[in-house]
Amino acid sequence: MATIFSKIINKEIPADIVFESETILAFKDINPKAPVHVLIIPKIEIPKVTDLKASEHSLLLGDMIDAANKIANDMGIAEEGFRLVFNCGDNGGQEVYHLHLHLLGGRKMNWPPG
Ligand code: 5GP
């Protein structure tokens, strides 16, 4: 089912886009939880992590990690470190059911997460 992220992909609503390729879009989170908070999403509609098949989606997952590393480098947080997070389902804290990888950085992250 289409979510607000499909509207961002289709440029029907604005977003602060930091990276785009044929398969991936990355944009700043509207409600950032860290100085750097970027969402990296596939352009195809996959609701959540449990809908992924590693064998089928390996290239897409690789593209998402490559994008995260590139953005972390571009934003100057690669050296000091960062966190990559997939929230999955209710208990995972997922609000938008279009797969997205959170890239968080620019401050020390807490562990365990809340
Ligand atoms: P989730 O909780 O599903 O893992 O994360 C969804 C994220 O999407 C949240 O951090 C939320 O702030 C962000 N978000 C929700 N709607 C929008 C939007 O319209 N634009 C942007 N840039 N971020 C959004």
Side-chain angles (χ1 to χ4, degrees), residues 4-5 8 13-16 27-33 37 39 85-89 92-98 100-102 104:
I4 191 121
F5 288 179
I8 291 175
I13 64 166
D16 194 344
F27 51 91
K28 292 185 183 171
D29 196 293
I30 204 166
N31 181 18
K33 316 303 186 292
H37 188 174
L39 302 172
V85 176
F86 283 112
N87 292 329
C88 182
Q94 186 171 6
E95 289 173 2
V96 179
Y97 281 80
H98 182 122
H100 51 281
L101 181 61
H102 293 260
L104 296 145

Side-chain angles (χ1 to χ4, degrees), residues 7-90:
K7 293 199 164 99
I8 291 175
I9 291 165
N10 295 328
K11 313 280 163 61
E12 289 162 18
I13 64 166
D16 194 344
I17 293 170
V18 297
F19 176 82
E20 181 162 17
S21 71
E22 228 173 88
T23 55
I24 300 291
L25 189 69
F27 51 91
K28 292 185 183 171
D29 196 293
I30 204 166
N31 181 18
K33 316 303 186 292
V36 173
H37 188 174
V38 171
L39 302 172
I40 298 156
I41 72 172
K43 287 187 171 174
I44 58 168
E45 277 175 30
I46 299 172
K48 55 182 179 164
V49 168
T50 46
D51 297 311
L52 284 171
K53 304 250 181 312
S55 53
E56 191 183 327
H57 297 113
S58 57
L59 290 177
L60 186 67
L61 285 164
D63 287 348
M64 291 175 81
I65 299 293
D66 283 350
N69 280 326
K70 178 179 170 16
I71 295 160
N73 263 308
D74 291 350
M75 297 197 166
I77 59 165
E79 277 297 309
E80 62 195 6
F82 53 86
R83 185 168 291 172
L84 296 176
V85 176
F86 283 112
N87 292 329
C88 182
D90 279 352

